[in-house]
Amino acid sequence: MTERWFSETLFPDFRQVYQVSKILYEDKTEFQDVMIFETPRFGRVLALDGIIQTTELDEFCYHEMIAHVPLFAHGEVRKVLIIGGGDGGALEEVLKHPVETVAMVELDDTVVRLCREYLPG
């Protein structure tokens, strides 16, 4: 069996490559290409249009910073709007605060459904 690799190129002079252990989902939605796969190092990975959005190993780094820093800096947030965030990581972190309401708006409901199924953590 041939090894499969996922290559992400954000800049002409920079590329990241991930070894793919198993592809869990790969298809095109109405809005974007979605791929969820497993890797030996990062666990499960979500890629949208060829760009890594989150990994099981290090998702907390991004989600904690995007949620806790502004909420603690403000000090008295009661209502939160999350635009995007279909993987649910930012929502999970926001809900650790004493907010009254949180609304999450995501263009692609397929991403939300797939993340609930394949990335429930």
Side-chain angles (χ1 to χ4, degrees):
M1 184 175 164
T2 305
E3 285 186 345
R4 179 156 181 193
W5 295 83
F6 177 89
S7 179
E8 174 188 58
T9 305
L10 297 174
F11 307 101
D13 62 341
F14 179 77
R15 174 181 297 168
Q16 297 184 97
V17 181
Y18 301 78
Q19 184 179 12
V20 177
S21 303
K22 182 178 182 182
I23 297 174
L24 302 172
Y25 182 89
E26 186 174 20
D27 204 357
K28 183 168 182 61
T29 72
E30 180 182 355
F31 302 101
Q32 58 203 334
D33 293 320
V34 179
M35 185 175 182
I36 300 175
F37 57 95
E38 291 182 353
T39 70
R41 180 171 306 275
F42 292 95
R44 291 185 176 188
V45 176
L46 167 67
L48 301 177
D49 290 332
I51 305 298
I52 301 295
Q53 303 298 305
T54 192
T55 75
E56 284 182 314
L57 177 70
D58 62 2
E59 62 82 21
F60 68 92
C61 297
Y62 176 77
H63 293 122
E64 287 180 0
M65 294 300 287
I66 202 169
H68 299 304
V69 172
L71 290 172
F72 282 130
H74 183 284
E76 294 187 35
V77 173
R78 297 291 168 243
K79 297 178 182 180
V80 176
L81 172 62
I82 300 170
I83 300 174
D87 59 75
L91 176 62
E92 177 183 21
E93 297 303 323
V94 167
L95 292 174
K96 293 177 181 177
H97 293 265
V99 297
E100 293 171 5
T101 61
V102 180
M104 186 180 88
V105 179
E106 173 60 59
L107 176 69
D108 196 340
D109 64 340
T110 302
V111 172
V112 176
R113 181 182 55 76
L114 291 170
C115 287
R116 285 180 176 162
E117 180 177 349
Y118 294 107
L119 297 163

